Structure formats: structure tokens, C-alpha cells
Amino acid sequence: MKKAVWLAGAALCALAAPAVAQTPPSQTATLQSAARAPVPIAPAESAPAIATAQQGPLVFEPAFFADARPDTALDMIARLPGFSLDTGDSGTRGLAGTAGNVLIDGVRPSTKSDSLDQILRRISGAGVARIELIRGGAPGIDMQGRSVIANVVLVRTVVTERVLETNAYFYPDGYIGPVIAARWSRREGDNQIEGSINAFTDRTDGTGDGPRRRYDPAGNLIQDADLVLWDRIRTVRATGAVQRRVADGLLKVNGLLGWFGNENSQDLLIRSGAGSDSFNDEEADSVDGELGINWTRDLNPRTGLELTGLQRYGTEAYTGVSTGIGGSSTFDADSTAGESIARATLRYRPDDQFAVETGGEVAFNFLDSTNAYEENGVVIPLPSASVRVEELRGEVFGQTTWRPGPKFTLEAGLRVEISEISQSGDSNQSKSFVFPKPRIQMTWTPWVGHQFRFRAEREVGQLDFGDFVASADIDIGQVEGGNPDLEPQKATVFEAIYERRFWNEGVLDFTLSHAEIEDVVDVIPLTGGFDGVGNIGDGTSNFFQTRLTLPTDKLGLPNGRLQVRGSWSQTSVVDPVTGAERRFQGSQAFGCGVAFNQDLKGGRWSYGFDHGCNVDKGAAYRVREIRYFYAEPGVSAYAQWKPRRDLTVRVDLGNASNRRTGYDREIYAGPRDTAPLSFREVRRTQMSPWLFVQIRKTF
């Protein structure tokens, strides 16, 4: 089956290639730039009619969002029926596969350090002309393996905006975490310029307290202790972007500079049983910067070129110290990382039913890390404590989208990734990889309001540079060695989605997927008695999800929306220590949630809540330990008031359920397959509820 998927993708790409050389059959002007996404058919003033489900992407005009008075594009995205924002994975090297599921004017942002939700937050609602919801694929759109993409189309008229936000977190013990943000932007046709700066200090669920109890194998309490956790996070971040017409194309340059600091401590106070008090302190500081460039140009009415360049650089310093009656231990880590990317994409649309995209990308990444571990002043050697990791990777890709009629769309693509990873320092070696990654995606709309989407894809993960280097979890006294002998995780994925749209804004969908996974990345034993990340063999994953978005107008609650979600996951892999089958690390068997929001008086007032109803958070498996994560359901609520168009006041109540989090640990005297259980440890901490007060003023 894997060969069939590969060959089908390669064959379809080969068949599409001659089309690039054809002369366009007609010089009829395209509806939008060939280098960008096509404008879909049948725009609507309110919720798109169900009939448009057979006509292509659904279009949501500003009138659809009027009852909510959205301040930003992010607010509008949150109101799209049947759509959930995915900000992408900025930790993935290169640009391929890192993008989220939202485009801006048909182009994904040329940034990785600046998250997609923050970019959308900086686009005013008044600056959005419409949002196009592309389901299952459309000519000229690279779906990046996703079944649904949203495209935010900006207005062409002059828009100048100045925004000031003064916000703060309030906690029951009197602590206040201030947040301040300012933004200025001007947009006139294709010309855009913007700048923003924000800064805050706050705490996370790393501040709280609770018990830590240990039990012998028979269940008898052998130690009772109190945990007192404290943390603070601080950041300052500035962004800027400018867009102009250059060399008959559209050039956008964006930059980012930020600093992030984190301090936390853990005090363990023994109340009964053997053991002594311990005190842990950790501090980390990081600085990161980024420069991105994107240039698009129409070569002719049917052909477009897009060039993207990106440069990132960052440094981080960490120190963790643990002290107690038995002595002290210290772990230090200093690292420098960088990334350089160049990407070119050529798009061709011979007609409105067919599109071809091809291009390539090259990226260079490095991580230079030096770590040190001491116990009572004595240096303890660690596997791969000082390592420089470099990777030169390239990818060529081609895909074609065919839409023969309003009921059917077929997208087929092939990506070939070539990379070389080299290490120097404590270990010196290099590895080369070549991975073909075909994808086939089909969308079928047999009846009004009903749509089926099918996907088959070969996915290849990336090796985490951090796994090559030693690390530590100072709070529980664990040190993990680096492992240079890693292989990327691969998977052949099959996915089917059924979507039912009703009542204009109602959506019910079901997702079913199956994956055959090779070289599962997990934890393995290393030399010297340390654990480390490695490959443990092949596994399988099955996933089912259902989501319901229900407009409540017909239930007597006007302008309300109820959202219900549930998911079930089954994973299986052979444990490298015991040889028995178990779930993947962190695999959550069940997840669910319920949310509701309602807009009143034309958006002047809004309120809502969100309840996450699952407790199971999966488990982590180490050589001498199994750790079962625990988190009680979370509840949040909000109320919003907009006395004027230029002023918004919002209050969020977070952690309203005052939930407890933690984990249960089973600690063995040696490897789990041969050594007896030493003790069980139960850890629970509780962070207090908080209020987040936001005041947003537009000038």
C-alpha cells in the first residue's frame, strides 16, 4: 500500500508537469493574482448559503460577523463555523510543514517566530474585506496536507490604525501581572506598514501548592510532604513589517526581536516519613531575532512566482540548582541556534479547473550547546554534554489540483526531502536522509450540505536537535543523556472526513484516521545508566473525532453558538524495556470539551464559557519509571462590553474550577522488566483562579 501511495503521487505530478509548458488557452483576466489564492465563487452577505458548498470555497463577508463586532481578524477566525485555528509548528526546521491553517491575502506569513494568532490579532476587523473558507482544496492553494484552510483577504482602501492595550492578570493573593501592548499600522492598496511592541510579566500554573506523597508497593504511606511552587515569566517583543511594490512584484519584509525570561522554584517540605527537605531554583533567559522576506509576482495572467527568505538567530542560558541535607546538584546549559531558509514556488493555472505548483526549498540549521552537571561540586560526565549539531536540508515539491466540476476536487503532490545532519564535539558523526513524501487528497460533495474528504499521505518527522544533547529535570532529580543515533519518525496516514452543514451556521463533522508509524521516537536506556531519546520500533495509531457547532437561534437563544467536541485515540507500540505493547508517550485516549458564546445588542455585549471535560493526559515511560499525567477538567468564562466601536473591555475568568494537576509515578529499583517496584509517588498541585482584565482602545 505504501508503494501504491508513492507511485500514485509521483505519476499524477508527472502527468501535470507538461501543463506548465503549455500556452495559456485564454488570456481572460484571472480573478486574483496568479501567485495567490483564487477568489471563490458566490460571495455572501451573511452566512454562505448551503448551496455554495458545491461551488467552491465559502465566503464570509464582514456582514456575517457584524453581530459580534470583532476587533481583530483573530476574533473573526474564531467565529468561522466548523473551523479551528491551528497556528502551525514553529519548531519544525524549514518552512515546509510549519505553516498554520490561515493565509493572509493567499500567502502564508514569512515568519516562524511570530505566531499566527499574534499576526491575526494585529489585523483589525475593519481591515478585513472577507474570509474565504477553503475545504478540501482549490486550484492555486497548497493545502499543506490540511483538509481546511482559511484565507483572510484584506481591504484595499486606506486604513490607518493605532491600538493601545492595557491589560492585567489579577490573582486572589494580590499578585498582579501587567500586560501592555501598542500597535500602529497603515494600509493603502498593496502598500502596508506596521509596528508593534508588547511586554508583560506574569505567572503560570507553575505557581501553586499541594501534597507529594509516597507509598510502598503494598500501598502504605511512607512519606508525606508539601510542595510549594513559584514561577515568574517576563517578555518584551517588538515586530515590524513593510510591504511595497518592487520590480513589478509585491515585496513584504518583516522583522522580530524578543527577550524572554523565566524563573521558578520548588520547595519540598517533609511532614512525615524518611527524607529531607529540598529546594530547587531554575532560571532561564533567551533572546531571539528574525528577518523574513516574501516577494510575489505575476509572470503572466496565469503564472505566478513566490520567493521567500528567512533568517533566525537565538541564544539561551539556563541554570538549575537543587539543594538539600544530602548535598547539592547543579545543571548548566548554554546554547546558540540559527536557521537560514530560501524557498521558491511557481504556480500555474491553465484554467479555473486546473492548477500546478512546483518549487524547492533549502535550509541550514545549527545548534551549539554546552551542558554541565555537578553533584556536591563533583563533575558528573554526561553523554553528549557538549555538541554542535548542523543540518543542511533541501526539498523539491510538485503538486496539481484538478476540479472538473462543482462536486469533485483532486489534489496530488510529491515532496522529496534530502538532508544531512552532522555532529561535532563529544560525538562526531553525520547522517544523510532521503525521504519521498507523496500526498493525495480528494473532496467529494455529492449532495447539498454534505461533503466527504479523503487523504493519504506519507509523513516524515524531524529530529529534535535537543535530543542530541544532555538535559535535566531538576525538580525530580532526573538527568537525561543526549543520543546521536536517532532516526526520524515516519508514518503512512489515511484520513477520512465527513462534514454536514445545516442551518447556515451549523456544522457537524466526523474525522477518522489510521497511521502506520515506523521508528517511533521514545525513551531508551543509554550507557552510563542514563535515559535518552531514541527509536523503539514500529507502531500504529487510530484516531476518531467528532465536532458540532450548533447555532442556537432556533432554540430561543439568538446569536448564540454551542460547540461540542470529542476525540478517541488508540496507539500501540512495543515497550523497549518490557517487550509488552503499550500506548505512545503522552497519548491521550479520550478528549472532549463544551463551549458556548452569545452576542447581545448587536455585539455591544458578549459572554461565553469553555469546559474541557477530560482527565486522562497519557503517560510517560522511562527505563526505571512510569509517569501518569493528571489534570482535572478546566473551566473558563468571559464577558465583554463594547460601549463604542473604538473601545473594548473584556474580563476573563480562568481556572474557574480551581483544578488540580500533577502526576502519579511508579519508581522501580532498576529497569522495569527485572527490578521490583520501589515506591509510588502521587503529586498534586493547585493553582488559584485568576481574572484577566483587557482594555483595548483604537485611535
Side-chain angles (χ1 to χ4, degrees):
M1 177 61 72
K2 297 170 187 173
K3 285 187 176 180
V5 174
W6 291 355
L7 293 174
L12 285 169
C13 287
L15 289 172
V20 178
Q22 294 176 1
T23 301
S26 170
Q27 295 302 317
T28 302
T30 53
L31 294 174
Q32 189 172 344
S33 167
R36 300 185 179 195
V39 171
I41 301 171
E45 288 300 322
S46 57
I50 292 299
T52 63
Q54 295 184 346
Q55 302 295 324
L58 301 180
V59 181
F60 295 84
E61 301 278 0
F64 172 78
F65 306 98
D67 287 336
R69 291 191 188 182
D71 288 324
T72 68
L74 183 63
D75 298 334
M76 301 170 80
I77 288 290
R79 286 291 198 275
L80 288 180
F83 182 80
S84 296
L85 175 65
D86 184 343
T87 59
D89 182 7
S90 62
T92 300
R93 298 184 297 279
L95 286 175
T98 65
N101 59 356
V102 176
L103 306 176
I104 311 296
D105 275 341
V107 179
R108 64 180 182 179
S110 56
T111 178
K112 291 176 64 178
S113 302
D114 199 8
S115 64
L116 184 55
D117 58 334
Q118 292 300 321
I119 294 172
L120 293 170
R121 194 186 303 275
R122 295 198 297 268
I123 299 174
S124 67
V128 177
R130 64 184 178 277
I131 298 180
E132 304 164 351
L133 193 62
I134 304 162
R135 302 169 302 141
I141 292 290
D142 180 6
M143 300 296 289
Q144 292 287 318
R146 303 178 184 276
S147 60
V148 179
I149 290 284
N151 180 33
V152 178
V153 181
L154 304 180
V155 300
R156 317 303 295 169
T157 56
V158 178
V159 177
T160 301
E161 190 174 48
R162 293 168 292 273
V163 178
L164 178 63
E165 293 188 32
T166 54
N167 314 322
Y169 291 91
F170 295 88
Y171 296 89
D173 62 2
Y175 176 76
I176 299 175
V179 182
I180 186 168
R183 181 177 68 86
W184 177 87
S185 66
R186 178 177 172 82
R187 191 176 300 114
E188 181 178 1
D190 289 329
N191 293 335
Q192 300 175 22
I193 184 170
E194 69 170 50
S196 72
I197 186 169
N198 66 82
F200 74 85
T201 178
D202 191 26
R203 66 193 194 192
T204 71
D205 57 4
T207 292
D209 53 59
R212 196 205 73 175
R213 299 187 175 99
R214 288 182 172 177
Y215 302 86
D216 65 19
N220 301 308
L221 181 66
I222 57 175
Q223 186 189 82
D224 190 5
D226 289 339
L227 281 171
V228 180
L229 308 181
W230 175 91
D231 79 329
R232 291 293 182 271
I233 56 174
R234 296 165 292 162
T235 188
V236 178
R237 175 163 288 205
T239 67
V242 60
Q243 179 173 282
R244 292 288 187 270
R245 280 282 170 187
V246 175
D248 296 326
L250 193 60
L251 177 69
K252 183 170 185 178
V253 180
N254 52 267
L256 177 148
L257 183 63
W259 168 82
F260 179 78
N262 178 30
E263 298 176 76
N264 63 80
S265 66
Q266 172 187 282
D267 295 344
L268 178 69
L269 309 174
I270 305 298
R271 298 306 181 195
S272 65
S276 60
D277 298 346
S278 64
F279 307 92
N280 301 335
D281 291 284
E282 297 176 87
E283 184 175 349
D285 289 276
S286 62
V287 176
D288 61 292
E290 180 184 90
L291 178 65
I293 301 175
N294 181 269
W295 181 71
T296 59
R297 178 184 175 182
D298 290 338
L299 303 180
N300 61 51
R302 293 289 182 180
T303 308
L305 176 67
E306 179 180 354
L307 303 177
T308 303
L310 186 71
Q311 179 64 55
R312 296 204 299 172
Y313 184 83
T315 63
E316 182 175 7
Y318 165 87
T319 299
V321 179
S322 178
T323 59
I325 293 178
S328 65
S329 61
T330 303
F331 186 88
D332 292 299
D334 291 284
S335 64
T336 302
E339 180 173 38
S340 305
I341 305 173
R343 180 183 177 90
T345 304
L346 182 67
R347 300 184 177 95
Y348 173 63
R349 295 184 60 205
D351 54 49
D352 292 335
Q353 296 181 337
F354 193 73
V356 177
E357 178 179 299
T358 186
E361 174 180 306
V362 62
F364 173 75
N365 293 266
F366 76 89
L367 171 66
D368 202 338
S369 180
T370 301
N371 302 336
Y373 179 61
E374 295 182 359
E375 289 185 358
N376 298 320
V378 178
V379 175
I380 306 298
L382 299 176
S384 300
S386 179
V387 173
R388 179 178 174 89
V389 185
E390 296 182 352
E391 180 189 49
L392 181 62
R393 63 187 298 112
E395 182 173 281
V396 293
F397 57 88
Q399 74 168 39
T400 180
T401 303
W402 179 45
R403 191 178 185 86
K407 294 186 177 183
F408 184 80
T409 301
L410 178 65
E411 177 190 326
L414 175 64
R415 299 172 183 269
V416 179
E417 173 189 318
I418 304 171
S419 64
E420 181 180 47
I421 298 180
S422 61
Q423 304 165 62
S424 58
D426 288 352
S427 60
N428 293 275
Q429 65 182 61
S430 65
K431 288 186 176 183
S432 298
F433 304 101
V434 179
F435 296 115
K437 298 181 288 185
R439 180 177 74 240
I440 298 176
Q441 185 162 277
M442 183 182 71
T443 303
W444 180 43
T445 311
W447 313 289
V448 172
H450 300 261
Q451 188 174 87
F452 296 87
R453 299 190 287 269
F454 307 94
R455 177 174 66 96
E457 184 170 5
R458 179 68 168 174
E459 298 179 345
V460 179
Q462 288 190 355
L463 298 178
D464 186 342
F465 281 2
D467 294 336
F468 291 88
V469 186
S471 61
D473 189 341
I474 203 76
D475 284 345
I476 57 176
Q478 284 186 344
V479 178
E480 193 168 275
N483 180 15
D485 298 315
L486 284 169
E487 291 279 338
Q489 182 171 294
K490 284 82 70 177
T492 301
V493 181
F494 302 92
E495 180 183 75
I497 299 173
Y498 167 70
E499 178 184 277
R500 175 73 169 102
R501 290 187 174 260
F502 60 95
W503 295 358
N504 283 339
E505 298 181 39
V507 182
L508 173 65
D509 62 44
F510 301 94
T511 300
L512 178 64
S513 69
H514 171 76
E516 296 286 339
I517 303 173
E518 304 164 27
D519 295 320
V520 174
V521 175
D522 210 299
V523 174
I524 63 173
L526 299 177
T527 57
F530 294 101
D531 294 346
V533 176
N535 302 107
I536 64 171
D538 299 342
T540 60
S541 172
N542 296 296
F543 177 78
F544 175 76
Q545 175 182 269
T546 181
R547 300 180 303 173
L548 172 66
T549 299
L550 182 69
T552 60
D553 299 73
K554 295 186 178 183
L555 304 179
L557 291 172
N559 298 321
R561 182 174 62 171
L562 175 68
Q563 294 176 292
V564 181
R565 57 193 182 275
S567 64
W568 294 261
S569 177
Q570 182 272 327
T571 58
S572 177
V573 69
V574 174
D575 191 292
V577 178
T578 65
E581 286 194 10
R582 60 162 171 83
R583 286 193 284 172
F584 289 179
Q585 293 268 7
S587 175
Q588 182 174 300
F590 175 71
C592 61
V594 178
F596 175 78
N597 61 70
Q598 185 181 20
D599 302 313
L600 304 173
K601 296 185 179 297
R604 185 179 177 89
W605 295 91
S606 300
Y607 73 96
F609 71 87
D610 194 329
H611 181 4
C613 55
N614 56 290
V615 176
D616 172 35
K617 294 297 182 182
Y621 300 87
R622 303 178 66 88
V623 176
R624 299 170 181 80
E625 173 191 345
I626 302 177
R627 190 182 312 172
Y628 301 95
F629 297 104
Y630 176 86
E632 293 176 347
V635 178
S636 62
Y638 80 91
Q640 184 171 275
W641 176 44
K642 296 185 177 181
R644 302 194 306 267
R645 290 284 181 181
D646 61 351
L647 180 63
T648 299
V649 180
R650 173 169 168 148
V651 178
D652 288 79
L653 172 61
N655 190 28
S657 57
N658 199 19
R659 69 175 186 160
R660 295 184 305 162
T661 63
Y663 43 73
D664 300 344
R665 301 174 67 197
E666 295 180 354
I667 311 296
Y668 293 80
R672 289 182 285 113
D673 59 331
T674 57
L677 180 69
S678 293
F679 60 88
R680 292 184 175 89
E681 179 180 288
V682 177
R683 174 188 175 116
R684 298 288 185 269
T685 57
Q686 196 165 27
M687 180 189 179
S688 64
W690 45 264
L691 285 177
F692 184 42
V693 179
Q694 306 174 67
I695 301 176
R696 184 183 193 271
K697 179 69 171 70
T698 302
F699 300 91

